[in-house]
Amino acid sequence: MRYVYTLLAGAALLAACHTSTTADRGKADILAADLDSSARPADDFFQYANGGWIKRNPIPAEESSWGIGQLVVNENLKRLKTINLEADSAHAAKGTKQQKIGDFWHAAMDSAGIEAKGLQPLDNWFKKIDAIHDTHSLMDAMAQLDNIGASTMLSVGVSQDEKNSEVEAMHAWQGGLYLPEREYYLKTDSTSLHILHSYEALITHFLTMSGMPAATAATQAGNILALETSLAKVHRKREDLRDPYKNYNMLKAPDLYKMAPSLDLEQYFKTLGASRIDTIIVGQPEYYKALNQQVAATPLDTWKALLRFRLIDAFAEALPDAYGVEAFNFNKLLTGAKERKPRWKRVLRKEEGAMGELLGQLFVKEYFNATAKKRYEDLVEAIRDAYKHRIQQLTWMSDSTKQKALVKLAAIKKKVGYPDKWKDFSSLEVTHDNYVQNLMNANAFWVRYNINKLGKPVDRDEWDMTPQTYNAYYNPSNNEIVLPAGIFTVPGYRDEQLDDALVYGYAGASTIGHEITHGFDDEGRQFDEKGNLKSWWTKDDEQHFKERAAFIDRQFSSFVVVDTFKINGKATMGENIADLGGILLGWDAFQKTKQFKDNDSIAGLSPAQRYFLGYSLGWLMGSTQEYLRNQTLTDAHAPARFRVNGPFQNVDAFYATFNVKPGDKMYLADSLRVRIW
């Protein structure tokens, strides 16, 4: 994926093929305005490109990071708020888009009504949990809670069979952890231990607030933490999850049921609505063996306490404010945010998860047109042509593998802006006065939507992101790049105010080129042009790739982010390869433009300089120390600073453009530079 987080975004889009002059733009040049002239580009290009803006814009108390992504998000949250207010006041007919949006907003913003209800919306679910008396009723309760979005211990769902992309298959993945990643349970540094103790306190508080005696709640919180820690120990590390073959284990359903009899999986799937399952692709069988043991060995009172906590936590934002405050006070340890976001922003985030594409249908009518969609489709083709030329010129790859790579490249499907076909939300029930129930209904809707794919043809037109999302992705099973409208936004600037150099760096390199390169990174390269996990490389070519990829692993593993936290070069390898590939492809495509050939400066910056600054604009971000620690432990992406400085060290054109010489901090000897694509 392009970004380290998925956020709402907008579509005041920049132009891909327009070169403006200083006079045309009529406002300060964004690239020149963001510069930190006290930093040398040859020593720290991220600071040079973005440091001026970061110094003038401290991180707001409600944020964990602050930069261009958040600016886009906040600009478009206001647009979505307007859509919701208009829908709420329209009193539209039941079943219409406006009714669902307006009633969701109304119920969620009714803070007085929510306070008055207290925990009453959860009462029936507490009774279900209290009624658990054996492992069979435990697993049935887990399935019902998973159905409404109170995630428990299993992570299952329907998606394409990695080895047969025309088939929708049931998958089972490791899960069960509340904290973002296994290392949180296993690290022994003071920061990690503080987070663990605070997590235990959160469990205690929620259980006590729900009526459990304080001493019992504290005991059960310790038991829950011990249970999750035991499961964390069998979780595979992030880098190990990048091997698609090792994480593909197709089992006949009865064999999985026998392997983990205490999980009562046949009944679990039936409760979710999947009654006929022949095979299940299990990512990490050892997790299900360990969970089976824990279900059999852990006292039911501990399981009941865990489910009670997970239920409250899942809906904390829709319960009286005291619950949301408790959840925020814990999560700020992971993010560094000092204040909660205002209610309307929190509601829009929940609404995005509940029915974001429904919002998107109204959103694109107002903020994204067909002309902009066409503009970015053309830019995709310019990047694709650049990649084709690069593959043809490779010296380390055989002709036979090159031809297959070119076939795959040509087959990559592009989805730009918004879907051609929208999802059907007619079965989603939204009430006017029950926020918790609306969230439960939405979660159950998405479970049904997913389960109903089983046994049906793959819908290759489907989008997994909304148009307003500030993100993008490559899907190896569909061999497609998906580029929502929001990812191209430069806040505060119109199309005609942005020159090609900025566009080719900001959109062409960091987004389009990045996503296309994912089809050929350490993981994506293992899928063929139809999206099947299938080897199409010669053994020698595969070895050459691994040797070259090892360079980028070593480079990024040497970067210290904060304290003793270093980037995990293996876990971030795919994103690092995609960043480097995107920069090279964007540069190749940009050199064909009129702006590059004319070589006229804008705001004292040459076209070549503006290209690299345009790419860096995509990573304009200041971050809290807590956010950086969490990102280093959990994210497949390197922090923003290293997504600029790291790949630039491997780009010869960067050295020439900014006169980088031996002795400069950004300098890498030619023999150490990464040369893949």
Side-chain angles (χ1 to χ4, degrees), residues 589-627:
F590 176 56
Q591 289 181 87
K592 297 182 179 180
T593 65
K594 183 177 185 300
Q595 182 182 8
F596 179 84
K597 294 173 182 177
D598 290 348
N599 199 31
D600 293 331
S601 295
I602 297 176
L605 299 166
S606 72
Q609 290 172 326
R610 294 181 66 78
Y611 170 79
F612 289 102
L613 290 168
Y615 172 85
S616 303
L617 177 65
W619 307 115
L620 174 66
M621 182 190 299
S623 302
T624 64
Q625 299 294 287
E626 295 87 348
Y627 178 91

Coordinates of all heavy atoms in Angstrom, one line a residue, residues 589-627:
A589 N 9.4 8.7 -16.6 CA 8.2 9.2 -17.3 C 8.3 10.7 -17.3 O 8.0 11.4 -18.4 CB 6.9 8.8 -16.6
F590 N 8.8 11.4 -16.3 CA 8.8 12.8 -16.2 C 9.8 13.4 -17.3 O 9.6 14.5 -17.8 CB 9.2 13.3 -14.8 CG 9.5 14.8 -14.7 CD1 8.4 15.7 -15.1 CD2 10.7 15.3 -14.3 CE1 8.6 17.0 -15.0 CE2 10.8 16.7 -14.2 CZ 9.8 17.5 -14.5
Q591 N 10.9 12.6 -17.5 CA 11.9 13.1 -18.5 C 11.3 13.3 -19.9 O 11.9 14.0 -20.7 CB 13.0 12.2 -18.6 CG 13.9 12.2 -17.3 CD 15.1 11.3 -17.4 OE1 16.1 11.6 -17.9 NE2 14.9 10.0 -16.9
K592 N 10.1 12.7 -20.2 CA 9.5 12.9 -21.5 C 8.6 14.1 -21.6 O 8.0 14.4 -22.7 CB 8.7 11.6 -21.8 CG 9.6 10.4 -21.9 CD 8.8 9.1 -22.3 CE 9.7 7.9 -22.4 NZ 8.9 6.7 -22.8
T593 N 8.4 14.8 -20.5 CA 7.5 15.9 -20.5 C 8.1 17.2 -21.0 O 9.3 17.3 -21.0 CB 7.0 16.2 -19.1 OG1 8.1 16.6 -18.2 CG2 6.3 15.0 -18.4
K594 N 7.3 18.1 -21.5 CA 7.7 19.4 -22.0 C 8.4 20.2 -20.9 O 9.5 20.8 -21.1 CB 6.5 20.2 -22.5 CG 6.9 21.5 -23.1 CD 5.7 22.2 -23.7 CE 6.1 23.5 -24.5 NZ 6.8 24.5 -23.6
Q595 N 7.9 20.1 -19.7 CA 8.5 20.9 -18.6 C 10.0 20.4 -18.4 O 10.9 21.3 -18.2 CB 7.8 20.7 -17.3 CG 8.3 21.6 -16.1 CD 7.6 21.4 -14.8 OE1 6.7 20.5 -14.7 NE2 7.9 22.2 -13.8
F596 N 10.2 19.2 -18.3 CA 11.6 18.7 -18.1 C 12.5 19.1 -19.3 O 13.6 19.6 -19.1 CB 11.6 17.2 -18.0 CG 13.0 16.6 -17.8 CD1 13.5 16.5 -16.6 CD2 13.7 16.1 -18.9 CE1 14.8 16.0 -16.4 CE2 15.0 15.6 -18.7 CZ 15.6 15.6 -17.4
K597 N 12.0 19.0 -20.5 CA 12.8 19.3 -21.7 C 13.1 20.8 -21.8 O 14.2 21.2 -22.1 CB 12.1 18.9 -22.9 CG 12.0 17.3 -23.0 CD 11.2 16.9 -24.2 CE 11.1 15.3 -24.3 NZ 10.2 14.9 -25.4
D598 N 12.1 21.7 -21.4 CA 12.3 23.1 -21.4 C 13.3 23.6 -20.3 O 14.0 24.6 -20.5 CB 11.0 23.9 -21.3 CG 10.1 23.7 -22.5 OD1 10.7 23.2 -23.6 OD2 9.0 24.1 -22.5
N599 N 13.3 22.9 -19.2 CA 14.2 23.1 -18.1 C 14.0 24.6 -17.5 O 15.0 25.2 -17.1 CB 15.6 22.9 -18.5 CG 16.5 22.7 -17.2 OD1 16.0 22.2 -16.2 ND2 17.8 23.1 -17.4
D600 N 12.8 25.1 -17.5 CA 12.6 26.4 -16.9 C 12.3 26.2 -15.4 O 11.5 25.4 -15.0 CB 11.3 27.1 -17.5 CG 11.6 27.4 -19.0 OD1 12.8 27.7 -19.3 OD2 10.7 27.4 -19.8
S601 N 12.9 27.1 -14.6 CA 12.7 27.1 -13.2 C 11.4 27.7 -12.7 O 10.9 28.6 -13.4 CB 13.9 27.8 -12.5 OG 15.1 27.1 -12.7
I602 N 10.9 27.2 -11.6 CA 9.7 27.8 -10.9 C 10.1 28.0 -9.5 O 10.7 27.1 -8.8 CB 8.5 26.8 -11.0 CG1 8.1 26.6 -12.4 CG2 7.4 27.4 -10.1 CD1 6.9 25.6 -12.6
A603 N 10.0 29.2 -9.0 CA 10.3 29.6 -7.6 C 11.8 29.3 -7.3 O 12.1 28.9 -6.2 CB 9.4 28.9 -6.6
G604 N 12.6 29.4 -8.3 CA 14.0 29.2 -8.1 C 14.4 27.7 -8.1 O 15.6 27.4 -7.8
L605 N 13.5 26.8 -8.5 CA 13.8 25.4 -8.4 C 13.7 24.8 -9.8 O 12.7 25.1 -10.6 CB 12.8 24.7 -7.5 CG 12.8 25.1 -6.0 CD1 11.6 24.6 -5.3 CD2 14.1 24.6 -5.4
S606 N 14.6 24.1 -10.3 CA 14.6 23.5 -11.6 C 13.6 22.4 -11.6 O 13.1 21.8 -10.6 CB 16.0 22.9 -11.9 OG 16.2 21.7 -11.1
P607 N 13.2 21.9 -12.9 CA 12.2 20.8 -12.9 C 12.7 19.6 -12.2 O 11.9 18.9 -11.6 CB 12.1 20.6 -14.5 CG 12.3 22.0 -15.0 CD 13.4 22.6 -14.2
A608 N 14.0 19.3 -12.4 CA 14.5 18.1 -11.7 C 14.4 18.2 -10.2 O 14.0 17.2 -9.5 CB 16.0 17.8 -12.2
Q609 N 14.8 19.3 -9.7 CA 14.7 19.5 -8.2 C 13.2 19.4 -7.8 O 12.9 18.8 -6.8 CB 15.2 20.9 -7.9 CG 16.7 21.0 -8.0 CD 17.2 22.4 -7.8 OE1 16.6 23.4 -8.2 NE2 18.4 22.6 -7.3
R610 N 12.3 20.0 -8.6 CA 10.9 20.0 -8.2 C 10.3 18.5 -8.2 O 9.4 18.2 -7.5 CB 10.1 20.9 -9.1 CG 10.5 22.4 -9.0 CD 9.6 23.2 -9.9 NE 8.2 23.2 -9.5 CZ 7.7 23.9 -8.5 NH1 8.5 24.6 -7.7 NH2 6.4 23.8 -8.2
Y611 N 10.9 17.7 -9.1 CA 10.4 16.3 -9.1 C 10.7 15.6 -7.8 O 9.8 15.0 -7.2 CB 11.1 15.5 -10.3 CG 10.8 14.1 -10.2 CD1 9.6 13.5 -10.6 CD2 11.7 13.2 -9.6 CE1 9.3 12.2 -10.5 CE2 11.5 11.8 -9.5 CZ 10.3 11.3 -9.9 OH 10.0 10.0 -9.8
F612 N 11.9 15.7 -7.3 CA 12.3 15.1 -6.0 C 11.6 15.7 -4.9 O 11.2 15.0 -3.9 CB 13.8 15.1 -5.9 CG 14.5 14.2 -6.8 CD1 15.1 14.6 -7.9 CD2 14.5 12.8 -6.6 CE1 15.8 13.8 -8.8 CE2 15.1 11.9 -7.5 CZ 15.8 12.4 -8.6
L613 N 11.4 17.0 -4.9 CA 10.6 17.7 -3.9 C 9.1 17.3 -3.9 O 8.5 17.2 -2.9 CB 10.7 19.2 -4.0 CG 12.1 19.8 -3.7 CD1 12.2 21.2 -4.1 CD2 12.4 19.7 -2.2
G614 N 8.6 17.1 -5.1 CA 7.2 16.6 -5.3 C 7.0 15.3 -4.6 O 6.0 15.1 -4.0
Y615 N 7.9 14.4 -4.9 CA 7.8 13.1 -4.2 C 7.9 13.3 -2.7 O 7.0 12.7 -1.9 CB 9.0 12.2 -4.6 CG 9.1 10.9 -3.8 CD1 8.3 9.8 -4.2 CD2 9.9 10.8 -2.7 CE1 8.3 8.6 -3.4 CE2 9.9 9.6 -1.9 CZ 9.1 8.6 -2.3 OH 9.2 7.4 -1.5
S616 N 8.8 14.1 -2.2 CA 8.9 14.3 -0.7 C 7.7 14.9 -0.1 O 7.4 14.7 1.1 CB 10.1 15.2 -0.5 OG 11.3 14.6 -1.0
L617 N 6.9 15.7 -0.9 CA 5.7 16.3 -0.4 C 4.7 15.2 0.0 O 3.9 15.4 1.0 CB 5.1 17.2 -1.5 CG 3.7 17.8 -1.2 CD1 3.9 18.9 -0.1 CD2 3.2 18.5 -2.5
G618 N 4.7 14.1 -0.6 CA 3.8 13.0 -0.2 C 4.1 12.5 1.1 O 3.3 11.8 1.7
W619 N 5.3 12.8 1.7 CA 5.7 12.3 3.0 C 5.9 13.4 4.0 O 6.6 13.3 5.0 CB 7.0 11.4 2.9 CG 6.8 10.3 1.9 CD1 7.4 10.2 0.7 CD2 5.8 9.3 1.9 NE1 6.9 9.1 0.0 CE2 5.9 8.6 0.8 CE3 4.8 9.0 2.9 CZ2 5.0 7.5 0.5 CZ3 4.0 7.9 2.6 CH2 4.1 7.2 1.4
L620 N 5.2 14.6 3.7 CA 5.3 15.7 4.6 C 4.6 15.3 5.9 O 3.3 15.2 5.9 CB 4.6 16.9 3.9 CG 4.4 18.2 4.8 CD1 5.7 18.8 5.1 CD2 3.5 19.2 4.1
M621 N 5.3 15.1 7.0 CA 4.7 14.6 8.2 C 5.7 14.8 9.4 O 6.8 14.4 9.3 CB 4.3 13.1 8.1 CG 3.6 12.6 9.3 SD 3.5 10.8 9.2 CE 2.5 10.6 7.7
G622 N 5.1 15.3 10.5 CA 5.8 15.3 11.7 C 5.1 14.3 12.6 O 3.9 14.1 12.5
S623 N 5.8 13.5 13.4 CA 5.2 12.4 14.2 C 5.6 12.4 15.6 O 6.8 12.8 16.0 CB 5.6 11.1 13.6 OG 5.2 11.0 12.2
T624 N 4.8 12.0 16.6 CA 5.1 11.9 18.0 C 6.1 10.7 18.1 O 6.1 9.8 17.3 CB 3.9 11.6 18.9 OG1 3.3 10.4 18.5 CG2 2.9 12.8 18.7
Q625 N 6.8 10.7 19.2 CA 7.7 9.5 19.5 C 6.9 8.2 19.7 O 7.3 7.2 19.2 CB 8.5 9.8 20.8 CG 9.4 11.1 20.7 CD 10.5 10.9 19.6 OE1 11.5 10.2 19.9 NE2 10.4 11.6 18.5
E626 N 5.7 8.3 20.3 CA 4.9 7.2 20.5 C 4.4 6.6 19.2 O 4.4 5.4 19.0 CB 3.7 7.5 21.4 CG 4.0 7.9 22.8 CD 4.3 9.4 22.9 OE1 4.5 10.1 21.9 OE2 4.4 9.9 24.1
Y627 N 4.0 7.5 18.3 CA 3.6 7.0 17.0 C 4.7 6.3 16.2 O 4.5 5.2 15.6 CB 3.1 8.2 16.2 CG 2.7 7.9 14.8 CD1 1.3 7.6 14.5 CD2 3.6 7.9 13.7 CE1 0.9 7.3 13.2 CE2 3.2 7.6 12.4 CZ 1.8 7.3 12.2 OH 1.4 7.1 10.9

